[in-house]
CSV table of all heavy atoms in Angstrom, one decimal:
chain,number,residue,atom,x,y,z
P,1,ARG,N,0.8,-1.2,0.0
P,1,ARG,CA,0.0,0.0,0.0
P,1,ARG,C,0.8,1.3,0.0
P,1,ARG,O,0.4,2.3,-0.6
P,1,ARG,CB,-0.9,0.0,1.2
P,1,ARG,CG,-2.1,-1.0,1.1
P,1,ARG,CD,-3.1,-0.8,2.2
P,1,ARG,NE,-2.6,-1.0,3.5
P,1,ARG,CZ,-2.5,-2.2,4.1
P,1,ARG,NH1,-3.0,-3.3,3.5
P,1,ARG,NH2,-2.0,-2.3,5.4
P,2,VAL,N,2.0,1.2,0.6
P,2,VAL,CA,2.8,2.4,0.7
P,2,VAL,C,3.8,2.6,-0.4
P,2,VAL,O,4.3,3.7,-0.6
P,2,VAL,CB,3.6,2.4,2.1
P,2,VAL,CG1,4.9,1.5,1.9
P,2,VAL,CG2,4.0,3.7,2.5
P,3,CYS,N,3.9,1.6,-1.3
P,3,CYS,CA,4.9,1.7,-2.4
P,3,CYS,C,4.5,2.8,-3.4
P,3,CYS,O,3.4,2.8,-3.9
P,3,CYS,CB,5.0,0.4,-3.1
P,3,CYS,SG,6.1,0.4,-4.5
P,4,PRO,N,5.3,3.9,-3.6
P,4,PRO,CA,4.9,5.0,-4.4
P,4,PRO,C,4.7,4.7,-5.9
P,4,PRO,O,4.0,5.4,-6.6
P,4,PRO,CB,6.0,6.1,-4.1
P,4,PRO,CG,7.2,5.3,-3.8
P,4,PRO,CD,6.6,4.1,-3.0
P,5,SER,N,5.4,3.7,-6.3
P,5,SER,CA,5.4,3.4,-7.8
P,5,SER,C,4.3,2.3,-8.1
P,5,SER,O,4.1,2.0,-9.2
P,5,SER,CB,6.7,2.9,-8.3
P,5,SER,OG,7.0,1.6,-7.7
P,6,GLN,N,3.8,1.7,-7.0
P,6,GLN,CA,2.9,0.6,-7.1
P,6,GLN,C,3.5,-0.7,-7.8
P,6,GLN,O,2.9,-1.6,-8.3
P,6,GLN,CB,1.6,0.9,-7.9
P,6,GLN,CG,0.8,2.1,-7.2
P,6,GLN,CD,-0.5,2.4,-8.0
P,6,GLN,OE1,-0.6,2.3,-9.2
P,6,GLN,NE2,-1.5,2.8,-7.2
P,7,GLY,N,4.9,-0.7,-7.7
P,7,GLY,CA,5.6,-1.8,-8.2
P,7,GLY,C,5.5,-3.0,-7.3
P,7,GLY,O,5.7,-4.2,-7.8
P,8,LEU,N,5.4,-2.8,-6.0
P,8,LEU,CA,5.2,-3.9,-5.1
P,8,LEU,C,3.8,-4.5,-5.2
P,8,LEU,O,2.8,-3.7,-5.1
P,8,LEU,CB,5.4,-3.5,-3.6
P,8,LEU,CG,6.9,-3.4,-3.2
P,8,LEU,CD1,6.9,-3.1,-1.7
P,8,LEU,CD2,7.6,-4.7,-3.5
P,9,GLN,N,3.7,-5.8,-5.5
P,9,GLN,CA,2.4,-6.4,-5.7
P,9,GLN,C,2.3,-7.7,-4.9
P,9,GLN,O,3.4,-8.3,-4.6
P,9,GLN,CB,2.2,-6.7,-7.2
P,9,GLN,CG,2.1,-5.5,-8.1
P,9,GLN,CD,0.8,-4.8,-7.9
P,9,GLN,OE1,-0.3,-5.4,-7.8
P,9,GLN,NE2,0.9,-3.4,-7.9
P,10,PRO,N,1.2,-8.1,-4.5
P,10,PRO,CA,1.1,-9.4,-3.8
P,10,PRO,C,1.4,-10.6,-4.7
P,10,PRO,O,0.9,-10.6,-5.8
P,10,PRO,CB,-0.4,-9.5,-3.3
P,10,PRO,CG,-0.9,-8.1,-3.5
P,10,PRO,CD,-0.1,-7.5,-4.6
P,11,SER,N,2.2,-11.5,-4.3
P,11,SER,CA,2.5,-12.7,-5.1
P,11,SER,C,1.2,-13.6,-5.2
P,11,SER,O,0.4,-13.6,-4.3
P,11,SER,CB,3.6,-13.6,-4.4
P,11,SER,OG,4.8,-12.9,-4.4
P,12,LEU,N,1.1,-14.3,-6.3
P,12,LEU,CA,0.1,-15.3,-6.4
P,12,LEU,C,0.8,-16.6,-6.1
P,12,LEU,O,1.0,-17.0,-4.9
P,12,LEU,CB,-0.5,-15.3,-7.8
P,12,LEU,CG,-1.3,-14.0,-8.1
P,12,LEU,CD1,-1.9,-14.0,-9.5
P,12,LEU,CD2,-2.4,-13.8,-7.1
P,13,PHE,N,1.3,-17.3,-7.1
P,13,PHE,CA,2.0,-18.6,-6.8
P,13,PHE,C,3.5,-18.5,-7.3
P,13,PHE,O,4.1,-19.6,-7.4
P,13,PHE,CB,1.3,-19.8,-7.4
P,13,PHE,CG,-0.1,-20.0,-6.8
P,13,PHE,CD1,-1.2,-19.6,-7.4
P,13,PHE,CD2,-0.2,-20.5,-5.5
P,13,PHE,CE1,-2.5,-19.8,-6.9
P,13,PHE,CE2,-1.5,-20.6,-4.9
P,13,PHE,CZ,-2.6,-20.3,-5.6
P,14,GLU,N,4.0,-17.3,-7.5
P,14,GLU,CA,5.4,-17.2,-8.0
P,14,GLU,C,6.3,-17.7,-6.9
P,14,GLU,O,7.4,-18.1,-7.2
P,14,GLU,CB,5.7,-15.7,-8.3
P,14,GLU,CG,4.9,-15.2,-9.5
P,14,GLU,CD,3.6,-14.6,-9.1
P,14,GLU,OE1,3.2,-14.7,-7.8
P,14,GLU,OE2,2.9,-14.0,-9.9
P,15,ALA,N,5.9,-17.6,-5.7
P,15,ALA,CA,6.8,-18.0,-4.6
P,15,ALA,C,6.3,-19.3,-4.0
P,15,ALA,O,6.6,-19.7,-2.8
P,15,ALA,CB,6.8,-16.9,-3.5
P,16,GLY,N,5.5,-20.1,-4.7
P,16,GLY,CA,4.9,-21.3,-4.2
P,16,GLY,C,3.7,-21.0,-3.3
P,16,GLY,O,3.3,-19.9,-3.1
P,17,VAL,N,3.1,-22.1,-2.9
P,17,VAL,CA,1.9,-22.0,-2.1
P,17,VAL,C,2.1,-21.2,-0.8
P,17,VAL,O,1.3,-20.4,-0.4
P,17,VAL,CB,1.3,-23.4,-1.8
P,17,VAL,CG1,0.1,-23.3,-0.8
P,17,VAL,CG2,0.9,-24.1,-3.1
P,18,GLN,N,3.3,-21.5,-0.2
P,18,GLN,CA,3.6,-20.9,1.1
P,18,GLN,C,3.9,-19.4,1.0
P,18,GLN,O,3.8,-18.7,1.9
P,18,GLN,CB,4.7,-21.6,1.8
P,18,GLN,CG,4.4,-23.0,2.3
P,18,GLN,CD,5.5,-23.6,3.0
P,18,GLN,OE1,6.6,-23.7,2.5
P,18,GLN,NE2,5.2,-24.1,4.2
P,19,GLY,N,4.2,-19.0,-0.2
P,19,GLY,CA,4.5,-17.5,-0.4
P,19,GLY,C,3.3,-16.8,-1.0
P,19,GLY,O,3.5,-15.6,-1.3
P,20,PHE,N,2.1,-17.3,-0.9
P,20,PHE,CA,0.9,-16.7,-1.4
P,20,PHE,C,0.7,-15.4,-0.7
P,20,PHE,O,0.7,-15.3,0.5
P,20,PHE,CB,-0.3,-17.6,-1.3
P,20,PHE,CG,-1.5,-17.1,-1.9
P,20,PHE,CD1,-1.6,-17.0,-3.3
P,20,PHE,CD2,-2.6,-16.8,-1.1
P,20,PHE,CE1,-2.8,-16.5,-3.9
P,20,PHE,CE2,-3.8,-16.3,-1.7
P,20,PHE,CZ,-3.9,-16.2,-3.1
P,21,LEU,N,0.6,-14.3,-1.5
P,21,LEU,CA,0.3,-12.9,-1.0
P,21,LEU,C,1.5,-12.2,-0.4
P,21,LEU,O,1.3,-11.1,0.1
P,21,LEU,CB,-0.9,-12.9,0.0
P,21,LEU,CG,-2.3,-13.3,-0.6
P,21,LEU,CD1,-3.3,-13.2,0.5
P,21,LEU,CD2,-2.6,-12.5,-1.8
P,22,THR,N,2.7,-12.8,-0.4
P,22,THR,CA,3.8,-12.1,0.0
P,22,THR,C,4.2,-11.1,-1.1
P,22,THR,O,3.9,-11.3,-2.2
P,22,THR,CB,5.0,-13.1,0.3
P,22,THR,OG1,5.2,-13.8,-0.9
P,22,THR,CG2,4.7,-14.0,1.4
P,23,PRO,N,4.9,-10.0,-0.7
P,23,PRO,CA,5.2,-8.9,-1.6
P,23,PRO,C,6.3,-9.3,-2.6
P,23,PRO,O,7.3,-9.9,-2.2
P,23,PRO,CB,5.5,-7.7,-0.8
P,23,PRO,CG,6.1,-8.4,0.5
P,23,PRO,CD,5.3,-9.6,0.7
P,24,ARG,N,6.1,-8.9,-3.8
P,24,ARG,CA,7.1,-9.0,-4.9
P,24,ARG,C,7.2,-7.7,-5.7
P,24,ARG,O,6.1,-7.1,-5.9
P,24,ARG,CB,6.9,-10.2,-5.7
P,24,ARG,CG,5.7,-10.1,-6.6
P,24,ARG,CD,5.4,-11.4,-7.4
P,24,ARG,NE,6.4,-11.8,-8.3
P,24,ARG,CZ,6.2,-11.8,-9.6
P,24,ARG,NH1,5.0,-11.4,-10.2
P,24,ARG,NH2,7.2,-12.2,-10.4
């Protein structure tokens, strides 16, 4: 939410199931 460029996004499955919704 605070990223000024909106480049930070919640992961889907790029980080595997355990990484779901972690920022990338």
Side-chain angles (χ1 to χ4, degrees):
R1 290 191 295 273
V2 79
C3 180
S5 72
Q6 299 184 330
L8 279 185
Q9 296 289 318
S11 297
L12 295 178
F13 296 104
E14 297 87 356
V17 174
Q18 290 184 310
F20 187 65
L21 296 183
T22 55
R24 67 187 294 249

